[in-house]
């Protein structure tokens, strides 16, 4: 629900309750329920009474908040700061000298750090993959020492538990080596590393209020920084939009004992979309027998709002294809552009190069061209056979999808990717936008096309079955729950309708 210039938005009674609240508070907000509007009106009401921090989940959300402030002529409020946890940490730790910075640890870097074997590619891959995941898990945790973290707790038999147990000492040594080298700035540091260093410094922020958005996807380290402040705290989120468990995110709302309010009226989704959303959320009953779908309420926009319908009808309709995986999205883009020829121009949400990149740091084009010896330099993989073998024995979704993509297009794939890149334009000029659910979070389109790589109810029923009749593990339940949430996030980007591809 966008803010209008100098016009107070029409607020629901639930939004008004949040704005008028006193003391610590947590808010459960369904998709498109105007939580940002409520938080900004909360801040506006307290202008001049003290200093306030709006803690955004990431830079994209921070920029969106600043845009809404500009639209409402509120960007000159001297007592309101909009930051991310990472931006706070970075400025605090690196006031003078800025160390070399990388977005994430690549598997190729880990392979080079520890001289992992080229001949035993599967073992090298698993060592590098679990070293990275172990390191990330510690950086996201509240533990003060690496030895305090039990990495095995995050694993299941399907996720390599037995392998990690056999190699735990080596993995722990490698994680400690990486953390120490980053601390001494001997190797480039990651964003999660410096946020962890910030949390270990026990920071104290001079704010009277702190608003914490997207609380369902906060990492333990973010929540720890937030909860250790003396300010009045307001945390907002939606447990059904928790989709960063793979980055150790936790639902912070369930980890706080604040008084609770709800935002249940969607300004975005019509009845057809909210009905589909309720159907998907109801699948959680298969995973958690005590789950009650009646506790989930999402009121469609047509129930209470037909504002601006005439204005909206005169605007160009927007469309998006949303996929679960990067490679699933790439395949659909190729099919729509060059096979079915449904569209002539496309946009990708975020940096297109990221869609072509795997965790090892290499791109799809590089991997397809591995027969070219010049392209092997400093790559994780030595030949295509290694990739096929590792994909067959590992649970890596992206590797399996890559093998499928190459089998379909063969040596023509690099040329298709180049042609695809030439058709990319800005979103407002494109026929359609392509995005994953993660990159599309917080955005909306009139029509959403769902790729077929999301979880289905049939898959969930199969996943919860066991030969012994015993319940599946807690980690497995959380993984399935997150897959349901990812589909929920994707379909609730739609303002008008959802179509399945």
């Amino acid at each position: 629900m966008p803010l209008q210039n100098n016009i107070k938005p029409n607020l629901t009674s639930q939004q008004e309750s949040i704005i008028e609240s006193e003391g610590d508070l947590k808010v459960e907000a369904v998709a498109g329920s105007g939580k940002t509007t409520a938080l900004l009106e909360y801040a506006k009401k307290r202008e001049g009474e003290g200093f306030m921090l709006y803690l955004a989940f990431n830079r994209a959300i921070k920029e969106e908040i600043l845009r809404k402030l500009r639209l409402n002529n509120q960007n000159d409020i001297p007592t309101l700061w909009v930051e991310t946890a990472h931006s706070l940490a970075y400025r605090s730790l690196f006031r003078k000298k800025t160390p070399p910075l990388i977005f994430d640890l690549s598997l190729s870097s880990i392979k080079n750090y520890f001289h992992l074997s080229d001949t035993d590619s599967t073992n090298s891959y698993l060592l590098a993959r679990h070293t990275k995941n172990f390191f990330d898990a510690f950086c996201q945790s509240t533990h003060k020492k690496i030895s305090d973290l039990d990495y095995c707790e995050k694993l299941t038999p399907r996720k390599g538990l037995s392998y990690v147990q056999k190699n735990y000492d080596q993995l722990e040594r490698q994680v400690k080596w990486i953390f120490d080298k980053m601390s001494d700035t001997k190797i480039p540091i990651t964003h999660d590393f410096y946020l962890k260093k910030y949390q270990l410094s026990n920071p104290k922020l001079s704010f009277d209020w702190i608003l914490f958005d997207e609380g369902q996807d906060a990492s333990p380290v973010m929540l720890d920084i937030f909860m250790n402040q003396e300010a009045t705290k307001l945390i907002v989120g939606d447990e059904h939009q928790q989709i960063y468990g793979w980055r150790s995110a936790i639902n912070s709302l369930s980890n706080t004992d604040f008084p609770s309010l709800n935002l249940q009226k969607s300004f975005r989704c019509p009845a057809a979309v909210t009905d589909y959303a309720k159907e998907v959320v109801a699948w959680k009953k298969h995973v958690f027998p005590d789950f009650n779908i009646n506790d989930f309420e999402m009121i469609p926009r047509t129930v209470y709002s037909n504002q601006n319908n005439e204005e909206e009808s005169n605007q160009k309709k927007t469309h998006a294809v949303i996929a679960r995986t990067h490679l699933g999205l790439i395949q659909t883009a190729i099919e729509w552009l060059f096979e079915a020829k449904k569209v002539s121009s496309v946009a990708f949400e975020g940096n297109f190069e990221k869609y072509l990149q795997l965790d090892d740091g290499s791109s799809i084009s590089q991997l397809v061209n591995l027969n070219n010896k010049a392209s092997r330099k400093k790559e994780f993989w030595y030949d295509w056979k290694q990739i096929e073998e590792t994909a067959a024995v590992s649970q890596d979704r992206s590797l399996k999808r890559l093998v499928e993509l190459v089998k379909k297009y063969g040596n023509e794939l690099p040329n298709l990717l180049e042609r695809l890149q030439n058709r990319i334009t800005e979103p407002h000029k494109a026929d359609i936008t392509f995005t994953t659910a993660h990159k599309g979070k917080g955005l909306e389109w009139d029509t959403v096309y769902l790729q077929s790589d999301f979880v289905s109810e049939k898959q969930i029923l199969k996943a919860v079955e066991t030969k012994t009749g015993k319940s599946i593990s807690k980690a497995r339940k959380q993984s399935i729950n997150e897959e349901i949430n990812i589909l929920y996030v994707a379909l609730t980007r739609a303002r008008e309708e959802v179509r399945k591809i």
Side-chain angles (χ1 to χ4, degrees):
M1 179 179 171
L3 295 171
Q4 307 270 338
N5 280 353
N6 296 319
I7 300 176
K8 184 175 180 178
N10 294 323
L11 300 170
T12 67
S13 59
Q14 291 181 331
Q15 289 175 315
E16 292 279 11
S17 295
I18 293 166
I19 295 164
E20 299 297 329
S21 67
E22 299 290 341
D24 296 338
L25 181 69
K26 61 182 177 182
V27 179
E28 284 278 0
V30 300
S33 59
K35 63 182 176 65
T36 303
T37 297
L39 290 179
L40 292 180
E41 288 299 316
Y42 178 96
K44 184 178 180 181
K45 179 178 174 61
R46 290 156 180 80
E47 180 182 354
E49 296 179 11
F51 294 96
M52 185 174 297
L53 171 65
Y54 191 123
L55 199 57
F57 178 70
N58 57 30
R59 185 168 63 180
I61 293 175
K62 173 184 174 180
E63 292 302 319
E64 176 64 12
I65 300 304
L66 293 174
R67 184 188 71 82
K68 290 189 175 185
L69 285 170
R70 288 193 295 271
L71 284 175
N72 202 38
N73 288 338
Q74 290 181 319
N75 55 316
D76 59 344
I77 298 178
T79 55
L80 176 63
W81 273 256
V82 183
E83 300 285 355
T84 65
H86 286 87
S87 64
L88 286 172
Y90 192 84
R91 279 204 301 274
S92 174
L93 295 175
F94 308 119
R95 295 177 180 177
K96 295 181 180 179
K97 185 179 180 181
T98 303
L101 182 65
I102 53 175
F103 180 77
D104 204 2
L105 266 178
S106 71
L107 302 194
S108 298
S109 296
I110 295 172
K111 178 184 177 182
N112 293 332
Y113 290 153
F114 303 109
H115 309 290
L116 302 182
S117 170
D118 276 331
T119 55
D120 190 355
S121 60
T122 299
N123 185 61
S124 294
Y125 173 81
L126 291 174
L127 276 173
R129 159 63 66 193
H130 285 292
T131 297
K132 173 185 171 4
N133 290 353
F134 195 158
F135 175 83
D136 290 343
F138 173 68
C139 288
Q140 297 285 353
S141 76
T142 59
H143 295 297
K144 297 188 182 300
K145 296 186 296 184
I146 293 168
S147 58
D148 292 338
L149 173 67
D150 183 0
Y151 175 57
C152 289
E153 286 185 349
K154 299 182 175 295
L155 303 175
T156 66
R158 290 169 54 89
K159 297 291 186 180
L161 177 60
S162 60
Y163 179 86
V164 170
Q165 289 172 331
K166 292 176 183 177
N167 296 276
Y168 200 90
D169 289 344
Q170 180 179 354
L171 292 168
E172 189 175 71
R173 285 195 304 271
Q174 291 179 177
V175 171
K176 287 180 177 177
W177 184 92
I178 293 171
F179 196 85
D180 289 343
K181 291 296 181 182
M182 285 190 182
S183 296
D184 296 333
T185 63
K186 299 294 185 183
I187 60 175
I189 67 171
T190 65
H191 295 282
D192 287 343
F193 166 80
Y194 69 72
L195 182 60
K196 178 64 179 176
K197 294 289 283 188
Y198 183 60
Q199 178 254 343
L200 290 173
S201 72
N202 193 28
K204 298 300 179 184
L205 302 173
S206 299
F207 292 99
D208 300 289
W209 294 272
I210 301 180
L211 314 182
F212 193 3
D213 202 358
E214 300 291 340
Q216 78 284 343
D217 274 321
S219 64
V221 73
M222 286 183 184
L223 182 61
D224 186 71
I225 294 170
F226 173 70
M227 292 300 292
N228 281 321
Q229 306 307 314
E230 295 181 358
T232 297
K233 305 172 187 68
L234 195 160
I235 186 167
V236 184
D238 178 2
E239 63 175 306
H240 303 299
Q241 293 192 67
Q242 183 180 2
I243 60 173
Y244 285 93
W246 53 278
R247 284 180 54 81
S248 301
I250 57 174
N251 180 12
S252 298
L253 283 80
S254 64
N255 284 272
T256 57
D257 58 359
F258 300 164
S260 180
L261 291 175
N262 296 308
L263 286 175
Q264 297 166 315
K265 295 183 178 181
S266 179
F267 287 87
R268 177 189 303 145
C269 304
V273 177
T274 58
D275 287 347
Y276 187 13
K278 292 173 186 177
E279 176 188 333
V280 168
V281 171
W283 295 351
K284 296 188 178 188
K285 179 72 173 178
H286 303 313
V287 187
F288 307 103
D290 293 335
F291 179 78
N292 186 355
I293 188 59
N294 293 325
D295 293 336
F296 173 75
E297 184 176 7
M298 187 177 188
I299 303 172
R301 67 176 183 182
T302 51
V303 169
Y304 64 94
S305 174
N306 57 7
Q307 301 172 24
N308 302 322
N309 283 349
E310 183 178 346
E311 180 182 340
E312 290 176 3
S313 65
N314 293 328
Q315 295 178 352
K316 177 186 175 182
K317 297 296 183 181
T318 57
H319 310 270
V321 172
I322 304 182
R324 169 66 180 88
T325 61
H326 286 182
L327 296 181
L329 201 66
I330 294 295
Q331 181 172 336
T332 302
I334 290 173
E335 290 171 352
W336 282 35
L337 275 169
F338 308 123
E339 296 174 14
K341 297 183 178 179
K342 294 183 178 182
V343 294
S344 59
S345 63
V346 299
F348 275 78
E349 183 60 37
N351 185 349
F352 177 69
E353 294 298 328
K354 292 290 184 182
Y355 289 90
L356 304 180
Q357 198 172 61
L358 300 185
D359 288 334
D360 57 36
S362 56
S363 71
I364 298 173
S365 299
Q366 290 171 323
L367 295 178
V368 173
N369 289 322
L370 278 176
N371 288 331
N372 177 359
K373 292 183 178 181
S375 71
R376 296 176 183 169
K377 187 177 180 182
K378 294 185 178 180
E379 297 301 333
F380 187 91
W381 307 99
Y382 187 75
D383 58 33
W384 182 252
K385 185 179 179 182
Q386 287 184 336
I387 297 175
E388 291 183 313
E389 290 174 348
T390 303
V393 300
S394 74
Q395 295 297 323
D396 190 292
R397 188 197 304 257
S398 62
L399 282 183
K400 292 178 185 292
R401 194 77 192 222
L402 175 62
V403 170
E404 294 172 3
L405 201 62
V406 171
K407 282 182 178 179
K408 179 172 182 177
Y409 295 111
N411 293 331
E412 182 64 16
L413 185 56
N415 178 52
L416 287 170
L417 293 175
E418 184 177 351
R419 291 173 60 195
L420 169 58
Q421 195 156 9
N422 290 336
R423 296 287 189 93
I424 295 175
T425 185
E426 298 174 32
H428 68 279
K429 296 179 180 178
D431 295 330
I432 197 164
T433 295
F434 285 81
T435 184
T436 60
H438 289 85
K439 288 185 171 65
K441 197 164 184 293
L443 303 176
E444 57 185 43
W445 295 269
D446 294 308
T447 301
V448 164
Y449 296 86
L450 292 179
Q451 229 275 352
S452 60
D453 56 356
F454 289 97
V455 73
S456 67
E457 187 175 19
K458 183 178 179 180
Q459 290 172 327
I460 292 168
L461 289 169
K462 183 178 180 180
V464 298
E465 288 181 357
T466 60
K467 294 180 180 179
T468 62
K470 294 182 179 179
S471 178
I472 58 176
S473 68
K474 180 180 178 181
R476 183 67 176 141
K477 288 180 178 179
Q478 290 172 338
S479 176
I480 298 170
N481 182 67
E482 184 152 313
E483 290 300 322
I484 296 172
N485 290 348
I486 292 170
L487 174 55
Y488 169 80
V489 167
L491 72 91
T492 54
R493 301 309 94 199
R495 286 194 294 253
E496 294 184 3
E497 63 175 331
V498 178
R499 298 182 184 181
K500 297 178 182 179
I501 297 176

